[in-house]
Structure formats: C-alpha cells, structure tokens
Amino acid sequence: MLKKIFMFMPLLLAACTSTPKSKEVGHTPSTDKETTAPSTKLIALSFDDGPNTTTTPKVLDILEEHGVPASFFVIGQHINDSSAEQMKRAVSLGCEIQNHSYTHTFMTQHSTESFIDEIKRTDDLIEKYVGVRPTMFRPPYINHNPSMHSAIDHVFICGVGCQDWEADRTAQMRYDDLMAQVKDGDIILLHDFEGNDNTVEALKMLIPELKKRGYTLVTVSELFARKGVSPKGRSGIIYTNVLQ
C-alpha cells in the first residue's frame, strides 16, 4: 500500500541529512565478518514499510539472486501470520528485521507512554515470529526528538534515499540518485511497501553496480560491527553513515 507521506518528505530529507549515528541488532553476522579489513568498502541496504506478500518477496528474490543481505525496518500493524513468512525468509537469507513503529505515525505527536508502546508492540511481534528482538529503530518520516531518544533504548537509523516513495520517479531516476551520492559506510534507505515496483527494478541495477564499484553489501548491524563502530541507544544520534 502506498505511503501517505508525500507531503511530509521534505522533513524526512532534512532530518536524514542533518544528523548521523546508531545502535546494533541481534542478527548473527556472516562468518567472514572478523576477517574484513577496516578499509573494505561496505554499504548496507535497508527497506521500510513491510512486511507484505507482494513487494517484499520480489525484493527478497533479488537479494537471494545476488547473494546479499539487507535490513528490513517493519511496521508492526503489517505483521500477520502471512506476511511474517517473508520476515522468516529474510532471516534465512542472512537479513535482519528492525523496528519502524507499530502504526507509522508521527512519533513526536505521541505521549512518551504511547511511543514506547509503539516500539514494544512491534518488537514483541518481530521476536514472536523470527526469534530476535530488534535493537534499531527508524522513526516514521524520520520524525524524532530528544524525548524519544531518552526513552527508547534503540539505535536511531536514517539513511541515504532517492525519494522512492514517489510513484512518478522511475527506476532509472532512483538508481541514478543513489549512485551519485553513495559512499563507504552508508545506509541506503529504500521502501518495500506494496506496489513499489520501481524500487524493485532499481534494485536490479543497484546491486550489480555497487559490487562493480568494490562495495561489499552487509546488514546495518554488520556495517557498524565491521567498521569497528559501537553505537549506543539514548545518544540523541540518528545514523545515515556509520563513519559520520
């Protein structure tokens, strides 16, 4: 289902470009993690707004084809017995599942008790279905404030985006935007909401080109670990690049 965020995207873009930093997740990293040199070019793909049974499996098919993992920041109210199968598949492919709130609303408009409940309800569902409790949080619309950072013991994550929530942006435009700006240590922010097929098509170009340019693709938590960065929750920081 298409997101209802179009009019608020300038806020997201401003928030992503203004701050940078984050926390870790409970996913077991790949076995070659310890042998990766700090100088290795690393980048993480991440996807917001799933899980679903239409677009999420298309994204997973591409990840599986290319043998790369990603991080999925999911919305709690989208998780059910059917969509959870896609989360399980993602984990089986080496991906990780993180928190994107329960209702995908502006968290700064919630009381402290309410936004803590948003995080907990989604964490509980993720743990129920995949057995791992998230340690990272991407605020909807990148809408956050000091009160949230103080109350939530998750690492806050933003990312480098390409306005892929806009239906009129072609796959080529999304690909071009990302390749013009990505760098070592970046977290790429994409969306796997229902019907976002242009991002699926862009992904088919993006992954081979990133590999061609010498990047190794990892999950967000692996990106921190393999770059030797230990992010902390309650820090007031939101990460777009782990080296920032």
Side-chain angles (χ1 to χ4, degrees):
M1 80 183 209
L2 292 177
K3 296 178 75 169
K4 43 182 183 177
I5 63 176
F6 309 110
M7 64 186 290
F8 301 107
M9 283 308 108
L11 296 175
L12 186 155
L13 294 173
C16 281
T17 55
S18 60
T19 12
K21 297 191 178 168
S22 142
K23 167 178 179 175
E24 305 166 8
V25 90
H27 167 67
T28 302
S30 54
T31 55
D32 65 338
K33 162 183 152 184
E34 291 77 14
T35 62
T36 301
S39 59
T40 299
K41 291 171 61 177
L42 301 174
I43 207 159
L45 294 172
S46 67
F47 297 88
D48 284 4
D49 295 358
N52 56 67
T53 59
T54 56
T55 305
T56 303
K58 293 177 183 178
V59 170
L60 291 174
D61 286 347
I62 298 169
L63 297 177
E64 184 172 19
E65 176 185 353
H66 292 282
V68 300
S71 300
F72 289 84
F73 289 78
V74 300
I75 298 172
Q77 64 182 3
H78 290 177
I79 300 172
N80 53 49
D81 288 346
S82 181
S83 64
E85 292 303 311
Q86 302 307 316
M87 297 197 306
K88 294 175 184 177
R89 181 187 173 197
V91 170
S92 76
L93 295 176
C95 300
E96 65 184 3
I97 310 298
Q98 298 290 0
N99 195 314
H100 194 39
S101 82
Y102 188 81
T103 60
H104 201 281
T105 51
F106 286 88
M107 293 291 103
T108 58
Q109 296 177 4
H110 288 244
S111 67
T112 299
E113 181 181 54
S114 177
F115 65 63
I116 289 175
D117 182 64
E118 287 263 341
I119 303 303
K120 183 180 184 303
R121 291 175 73 185
T122 303
D123 281 353
D124 288 348
L125 282 168
I126 293 169
E127 185 172 33
K128 171 186 173 181
Y129 283 106
V130 302
V132 176
R133 199 163 187 84
T135 59
M136 294 181 182
F137 173 60
R138 180 173 282 142
Y141 315 110
I142 314 301
N143 175 239
H144 61 109
N145 61 20
S147 295
M148 291 170 59
H149 285 275
S150 296
I152 301 171
D153 189 24
H154 286 54
V155 174
F156 281 55
I157 301 294
C158 188
V160 177
C162 58
Q163 295 177 277
D164 76 320
W165 57 84
E166 295 185 354
D168 61 350
R169 292 187 62 76
T170 66
Q172 188 67 49
M173 292 167 67
R174 300 172 195 214
Y175 165 83
D176 290 342
D177 280 357
L178 287 171
M179 294 312 305
Q181 60 182 315
V182 293
K183 59 186 180 298
D184 185 30
D186 272 346
I187 300 163
I188 294 178
L189 194 169
L190 295 167
H191 296 79
D192 64 323
F193 57 80
E194 290 185 342
N196 199 18
D197 288 338
N198 279 345
T199 283
V200 174
E201 293 305 310
L203 195 60
K204 294 176 182 178
M205 299 183 281
L206 185 64
I207 292 174
E209 183 62 23
L210 287 170
K211 287 184 172 183
K212 182 179 178 181
R213 295 190 187 187
Y215 287 100
T216 296
L217 282 77
V218 295
T219 63
V220 176
S221 60
E222 288 177 47
L223 186 60
F224 282 106
R226 293 168 72 163
K227 287 298 184 183
V229 178
S230 298
K232 305 296 181 186
R234 305 181 192 274
S235 65
I237 297 166
I238 186 165
Y239 284 92
T240 289
N241 182 292
V242 303
L243 302 174
Q244 64 199 39

